[in-house]
Amino acid sequence: MHERVDVGRVVAVGASNLTRGFHAVVATARGMWGRDVEVVAALGHGRIYGGPSVYFGRRLPGILESGLWRALDERPPAATRALVTDVGNDIMCGYQPSRILEWVDLCVARLQRHTRDIVVTGLPHAALAGLPASRYLLFRSLFFPRCRLTMAETLSRGAEVQEGLRAIADARGARFFAMKREWYGLDPIHVRPPMWASAWQEILCGSGSAPRPPRAPLGEAFRLYALQPERVAYFGRERVSPQRGIALRGGGRVWLY
């Protein structure tokens, strides 16, 4: 359980789980810390930490190469809670655990320039461990068609990264959060939609922080999902969207990188 503190800014980095549940992160932050809370994020389906990612013709810079870091340096100081999530894509893109952990450690080190209040989440390792080989091949083909790792190789690298994430959190004074098996269903790598609100509340705020997780209005959820990051390329054509902070009707402001 996290200590109950006042937070003015949430910084979140991740990939598809963060993208799918981003409205729940925003609603949770607003419910816990008020209508003036800022949410600054680098996310996106297929996003990885150390290099560009391509997902159905859309290309995003790596999290470490995004404009997030410049934006944090330019913004005035604020009490900040940071989330480091969705590290598993880097494994499926073929990077070795040692390289992945170097990237995550650098990410946490950069965040420490702005806050010591950092949460590092683990991998959905338990959900993958009990998966039939045929279903692993199906999901590997759907989400990572270029990946050729066997299930045994994926689990082995995942276990190494999982332990490395724990070690980074311990060494950096961050909190490590182990993802829960019951949050996953047939899809072993994405939190089930009915669990988005409660899962992100627990990750962001700790269990028992509120009696009922807040829910974002449906229109706000769609709007947040459709927001464009600062830099993205579609089929080779770059699109730049200056981030001035989108003000939400329910409260809070959002920047995406």
Side-chain angles (χ1 to χ4, degrees), residues 13 36 41 75 80 135 144 157 194 200-201 217 243:
V13 297
D36 294 329
R75 293 201 59 71
T80 298
R135 196 184 302 169
F144 306 99
R157 294 187 186 193
W200 284 108
Q201 177 185 278
Q243 299 294 299

Side-chain angles (χ1 to χ4, degrees), residues 78-138:
T80 298
R81 177 162 293 169
L83 302 180
V84 177
T85 69
D86 285 334
V87 178
N89 282 344
D90 304 67
I91 297 173
M92 303 306 290
C93 288
Y95 294 103
Q96 292 294 326
S98 58
R99 174 69 66 85
I100 296 167
L101 294 170
E102 287 176 4
W103 289 337
V104 175
D105 188 53
L106 178 56
C107 179
V108 175
R110 288 184 183 180
L111 288 169
Q112 285 182 318
R113 300 202 300 254
H114 306 279
T115 182
R116 308 299 293 187
D117 185 356
I118 301 172
V119 181
V120 177
T121 69
L123 306 180
H125 194 70
L128 276 170
L131 202 67
S134 59
R135 196 184 302 169
Y136 167 80
L137 290 175
L138 172 63

Side-chain angles (χ1 to χ4, degrees), residues 204-215:
L204 184 62
C205 304
S207 59
S209 297
R212 179 180 296 177
R215 295 186 181 275

Side-chain angles (χ1 to χ4, degrees), residues 128-187:
L128 276 170
L131 202 67
S134 59
R135 196 184 302 169
Y136 167 80
L137 290 175
L138 172 63
F139 281 99
R140 190 191 71 180
S141 299
L142 288 173
F143 297 119
F144 306 99
R146 296 183 179 181
C147 179
R148 293 296 177 265
L149 293 176
T150 66
M151 185 172 176
E153 290 170 332
T154 298
L155 290 174
S156 176
R157 294 187 186 193
E160 187 175 346
V161 170
Q162 179 91 330
E163 290 308 306
L165 293 174
R166 288 182 185 273
I168 288 171
D170 288 343
R172 294 281 182 184
R175 289 185 291 274
F176 178 82
F177 186 95
M179 303 297 278
K180 297 186 174 182
R181 174 65 183 86
E182 60 266 28
W183 289 348
Y184 303 89
L186 292 176
D187 180 344

